[in-house]
């Protein structure tokens, strides 16, 4: 897999978009609200992807930035779709302890307050990281004992401040290099290997109920880096170092979901820790087009399914609400469009990739829909009790630029269904030219087929079939996720 060069994040040119005025306003307003209720387990959201994930015993979250919460579309989508949030920058060391012993919780408190008001759990991010680390720490010239005490004091104060209010903490972030050696951060070079265990012990002491995570990128597949993390977690479990989870950031490049993602999640889970996809985005060379968006949808569906297939994969967090504010173009010029909502807050094919994989429908929410939007237009509507179906896609024939395929709809419920809707996203821009035994609508990569009058009624275990011909070019991949909704 191409190396994402994430280290360059800390050297990125300053973002040109204005962030600061809104930050100050949102922070002042929201920090005033008292932070009361403890959130120690993933909350259930009112709607959207969060609700679909909750039905699977998972959460679906987003990175949230205070400076955008004043934008109504941003807040509307964040609160409608996600039942977990991670402060994108507000709980990092440079924000919380900008000078020694002087703590500032304004931004973090605002996020926690907002989350509590919207039924969202919070993943704290992050206590010990080489980046966004104030120079009084990185260039302080401390000896091992003093830097250990500086780190313990930071953890004790910050995790202590949020005690009982967070679902989890990313205690240590990005401590390994891609070759599996330790990153030469100031903590590593001054304290040595032991700093990570020390950080986890301090975090447990400060907040006994938060799940304590090690978090990193490029550990999604089985490779030298993920194996180094695996060995550390295994040792921690043997030594009694308090670690509860491993966060796989999952900053991916289009078309490069590791084929062994699920196996890798499972091997971590088998050590006795939870796993989570903590900062998901799938970047592409911009501008986006329908083919890239379809591939991105398939990639999101695949990573969602990998998580669902691992019992201890507790949830997925995407690294931002909208492409408009993603960190990606700042750090990888020429790349972008990595998230589920575009610059105008329209749901992208990737959204339906996720919602389909989570077992929901594949309709998109309207851009302005509020969290209490009508279930009939939301991807979360549920079938009548006892009614459910599945659909399987089979390519029957393929030639030059055309192909024929068949989809079998099976009633998997306990009662007869009176109608069905099957949906998928084509991964390679295929276009249906003619369809029989169903009513077709296709928008870009997204296909929806409903029954016609004579084949809507299907008895339990019974099935019916529709077929179509289509055009393809370049590649003619099978949709990674075909969903069926019974009515
Ligand atoms: O706070 C300053 C402000 O004072 C300054 O005036 C302004 C100028 O543009 O910049 C502000 O800081 C920016 C900060 O985001 C807050 O907006 C930094 O320049 C910018 O580099 C920083 O980027 C963040 C990046 O971490 C820093 O490494 C991104 O928003 C954030 O998405 C990103 O998140 C990281 C995760 O924490 C860890 N994993 C990788 C992921 C992506 O890099």
């Amino acid at each position: 897999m191409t190396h994402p060069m994430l280290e360059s994040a800390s050297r990125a040119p300053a973002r040109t978009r204005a962030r600061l005025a809104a930050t100050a306003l949102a922070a002042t307003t929201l920090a005033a609200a008292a932070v009361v209720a403890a959130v120690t387990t993933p909350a259930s959201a009112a709607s959207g992807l969060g609700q679909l994930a909750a039905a699977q015993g998972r959460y679906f979250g987003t990175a949230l930035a205070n400076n955008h919460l004043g934008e109504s579309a941003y807040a509307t989508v964040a609160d409608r779709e996600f039942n977990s949030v991670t402060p994108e920058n507000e709980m990092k060391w440079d924000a919380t302890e900008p000078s020694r012993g002087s703590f500032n919780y304004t931004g973090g408190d605002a996020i926690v307050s907002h989350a509590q008001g919207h039924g969202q759990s919070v993943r704290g991010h992050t206590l010990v990281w080489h980046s966004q680390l104030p120079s009084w720490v990185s260039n302080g010239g401390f000896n091992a004992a003093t830097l250990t005490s500086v780190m313990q004091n930071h953890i004790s104060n910050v995790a202590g401040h949020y005690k009982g209010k967070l679902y989890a903490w990313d205690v240590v972030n990005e401590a390994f290099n891609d070759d599996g050696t330790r990153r030469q951060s100031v903590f590593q070079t001054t304290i040595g290997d032991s700093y990570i265990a020390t950080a986890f012990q301090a975090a447990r002491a400060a907040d006994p109920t938060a799940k304590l995570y090690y978090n990193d990128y490029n550990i999604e597949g089985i490779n030298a880096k993920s194996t180094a993390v695996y060995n550390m977690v295994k040792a921690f479990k043997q030594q009694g170092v308090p670690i509860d989870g491993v966060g796989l950031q999952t900053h991916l490049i289009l078309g490069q979901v590791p084929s062994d993602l699920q196996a890798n999640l499972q091997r971590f889970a088998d050590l006795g820790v939870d796993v989570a996809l903590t900062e998901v985005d799938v970047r592409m060379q911009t501008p986006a087009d329908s083919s890239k968006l379809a591939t991105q949808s398939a990639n999101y569906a695949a990573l969602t399914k990998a998580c669902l297939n691992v019992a201890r994969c507790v949830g997925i967090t995407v690294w931002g609400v909208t492409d408009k504010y993603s960190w990606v173009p700042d750090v990888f010029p020429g790349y972008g469009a990595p998230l589920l909502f575009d610059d105008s807050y329209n749901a992208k094919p990737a959204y339906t990739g996720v919602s389909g994989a989570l077992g929901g429908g594949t309709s998109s929410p309207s851009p302005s829909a509020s969290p209490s939007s009508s279930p009939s237009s939301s991807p979360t509507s549920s079938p009548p009790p006892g009614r459910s179906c599945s659909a399987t896609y089979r390519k029957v024939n393929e030639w030059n630029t055309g192909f024929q395929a068949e989809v079998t709809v099976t009633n998997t419920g306990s009662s007869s269904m009176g109608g069905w809707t099957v949906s998928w996203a084509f991964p390679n821009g295929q276009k249906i030219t003619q369809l029989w035994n169903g009513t077709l609508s296709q928008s870009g990569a997204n296909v929806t087929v409903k029954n016609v009058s004579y084949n809507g009624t299907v008895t339990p275990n019974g099935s019916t079939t529709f077929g179509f011909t289509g055009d393809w070019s370049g590649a003619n991949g099978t949709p990674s996720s075909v969903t069926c909704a019974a009515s």
Side-chain angles (χ1 to χ4, degrees), residues 14-15 19 88-89 92 125 132 174 249 279 319 327:
R15 183 184 282 275
R19 283 177 157 175
E88 187 168 352
N89 290 297
K92 292 171 179 174
H125 174 83
Q132 286 172 290
E174 302 176 2
Q249 293 185 4
E279 303 182 15
W319 204 242
W327 67 286

Side-chain angles (χ1 to χ4, degrees), residues 303-322:
L303 66 88
T304 302
K305 280 191 222 157
C307 178
L308 290 178
N309 286 340
V310 174
R312 290 198 74 152
C313 186
V314 295
I316 299 172
T317 300
V318 291
W319 204 242
V321 175
T322 161

Side-chain angles (χ1 to χ4, degrees), residues 6 9-17 19-20 63 67 87-89 92 94 125-126 129 131-132 173-174 215 217 249 251 279 281 319 325-327 330-331:
L6 282 165
S10 58
R11 301 191 301 269
R15 183 184 282 275
T16 51
R17 304 173 189 104
R19 283 177 157 175
L20 295 177
N67 48 342
E88 187 168 352
N89 290 297
K92 292 171 179 174
D94 62 352
H125 174 83
T126 175
W129 187 27
S131 182
Q132 286 172 290
N173 196 40
E174 302 176 2
N215 193 52
Y217 64 87
Q249 293 185 4
H251 293 293
E279 303 182 15
D281 45 32
W319 204 242
Y325 299 129
S326 167
W327 67 286
D330 288 348
V331 175

